[in-house]
Amino acid sequence: MEINIKFFGKLAELTGENELTLEVPDETGIKELEGRFTEQYATWDLQNYLVAVNQNITEQQALKNGDEVAFLPPFAGG
């Protein structure tokens, strides 16, 4: 399946990407993506971030073809 990934803030700097499209196995979830990025980027596991799937913040979710996954740095609201 194909998913779209967006990186913001320090995560975009770390990966050198703002956006990319990945082909992943059907059973892929957020934890599998995090594991992939931990292997690919030396300090990924030291980063603090939130994950949104299709613009909804989530902690764990199975992904579907065409999903948009955003890795967001911490932010404050007011």
Side-chain angles (χ1 to χ4, degrees):
M1 76 178 160
E2 190 174 270
I3 58 173
N4 300 308
I5 310 290
K6 292 187 176 189
F7 300 103
F8 295 90
K10 289 185 177 186
L11 297 171
E13 292 173 19
L14 173 65
T15 63
E17 302 279 352
N18 290 320
E19 189 171 343
L20 59 95
T21 300
L22 292 178
E23 187 72 32
V24 296
D26 287 345
E27 64 278 359
T28 300
I30 293 169
K31 294 296 179 197
E32 288 79 15
L33 283 181
E34 291 172 322
R36 179 179 181 155
F37 296 145
T38 296
E39 291 176 8
Q40 195 169 357
Y41 305 106
T43 61
W44 181 269
D45 60 337
L46 302 175
Q47 305 303 312
N48 187 14
Y49 57 85
L50 295 172
V51 180
V53 176
N54 300 323
Q55 300 181 359
N56 293 306
I57 301 292
T58 186
E59 290 184 18
Q60 174 62 335
Q61 182 171 331
L63 301 172
K64 300 181 301 296
N65 189 48
D67 277 352
E68 177 188 87
V69 180
F71 289 91
L72 309 163
F75 53 89

